[in-house]
Amino acid sequence: MWLKDSSIGRKFIMSITGLCLVLFLLFHGSMNICLVVDDLFGTAGYNWICAMLGANWYAVAASLVLALGVLIHFGYAIYLTIQNRAARGNDRYAIEARQEGVQWASKNMLVLGIIVIGFLVLHLYNMWYKMQFAELTGLHVSAFDPQDGSAIVKGLFTDGWCGIVYCLLYMVWLAALWFHLSHGVWSALQTLGWSNLIWLKRIKVIGVIFATLAVGLFMVVVVYFLGVNIGMMIN
């Protein structure tokens, strides 16, 4: 089957899974903005969304689909990288030296992807494990109520010096994610056929816009609670 047996097919699958994950990031980032709104105005929008999702069957099914998408995307990325290196052999260094016009992110997508996956594991432990997993199993794996997602996030980012370390780690993760997405989105669109001279520059701009929007939504939350944490420490 060409989808798994050909290089073009594998890139097509990577493109589709990657774009689906970008859409999820936009949804997740928009949801997280509710944390800032809730803290500023005393509302409970974030916990309402968490309750709507939580341990419901459709949220669990969506989590499994997302996990599968991440595994497929990352697995194919590793396979394609190994395949490309094997095809280039000893000449790959000479080839890369001449690629002056190639973006830095495009030559380091696997490294950026590994950083993103590494911090994703940390994120899943801090958030999913203490919320949805705790609800599903009935285990209280943290000092907070698993249904009080807002308290869990605030507790993580405003825990004194530990909170500052977590904020800085998340910023590093988000920076790597921005570079990965800024190249990944336009590369995916190019693979899907938007590769002519008219659209090439446009899809690069689209990639930057989507990466900035997705990462920016997460960064607002981290920076906000970093400020709250520092303010609490000063006072």
Side-chain angles (χ1 to χ4, degrees):
M1 185 178 179
W2 73 273
L3 278 175
K4 64 182 181 65
D5 296 331
S6 71
S7 147
I8 295 176
R10 286 186 284 269
K11 288 181 179 178
F12 178 82
I13 291 177
M14 276 196 66
S15 299
I16 294 298
T17 55
L19 291 175
C20 288
L21 292 172
V22 170
L23 292 176
F24 168 73
L25 285 174
L26 289 172
F27 164 75
H28 191 13
S30 300
M31 170 183 169
N32 286 354
I33 289 295
C34 291
L35 284 162
V36 177
V37 175
D38 290 346
D39 197 64
L40 289 173
F41 301 103
T43 53
Y46 184 79
N47 280 349
W48 179 82
I49 297 174
C50 288
M52 184 179 65
L53 299 176
N56 295 308
W57 68 268
Y58 47 82
V60 175
S63 297
L64 293 174
V65 171
L66 282 168
L68 180 62
V70 170
L71 290 174
I72 292 174
H73 188 78
F74 191 60
Y76 271 49
I78 293 176
Y79 183 78
L80 284 170
T81 299
I82 294 173
Q83 190 180 51
N84 290 340
R85 286 182 178 272
R88 291 181 180 181
N90 294 328
D91 294 331
R92 69 178 181 270
Y93 300 106
I95 293 172
E96 288 176 358
R98 295 193 298 267
Q99 293 181 330
E100 297 179 358
V102 177
Q103 293 178 343
W104 176 84
S106 69
K107 294 190 290 185
N108 294 277
M109 287 295 281
L110 183 61
V111 175
L112 291 169
I114 291 172
I115 294 174
V116 170
I117 290 294
F119 279 98
L120 178 60
V121 173
L122 177 65
H123 182 70
L124 289 173
Y125 169 74
N126 286 328
M127 307 300 175
W128 177 84
Y129 176 68
K130 296 177 181 179
M131 288 191 237
Q132 191 178 66
F133 177 82
E135 282 192 67
L136 288 171
T137 60
L139 299 174
H140 281 246
V141 296
S142 74
F144 298 97
D145 182 347
Q147 294 184 338
D148 191 356
S150 180
I152 291 174
V153 178
K154 291 178 185 178
L156 176 69
F157 289 134
T158 60
D159 186 21
W161 287 106
C162 289
I164 290 177
V165 170
Y166 269 117
C167 286
L168 295 177
L169 286 174
Y170 270 83
M171 287 179 181
V172 171
W173 175 40
L174 292 171
L177 183 61
W178 185 90
F179 280 108
H180 191 78
L181 292 180
S182 63
H183 173 75
V185 171
W186 81 258
S187 180
L189 294 176
Q190 185 181 41
T191 298
L192 295 176
W194 291 8
S195 58
N196 56 58
L197 294 176
I198 295 177
W199 274 99
L200 185 57
K201 291 184 178 179
R202 294 179 182 177
I203 60 176
K204 286 185 177 181
V205 173
I206 291 173
V208 171
I209 291 173
F210 269 86
T212 303
L213 183 57
V215 171
L217 290 170
F218 284 88
M219 190 67 79
V220 166
V221 177
V222 177
V223 172
Y224 173 79
F225 283 112
L226 175 62
V228 171
N229 189 22
I230 292 174
M232 290 169 60
M233 293 174 69
I234 293 175
N235 295 330

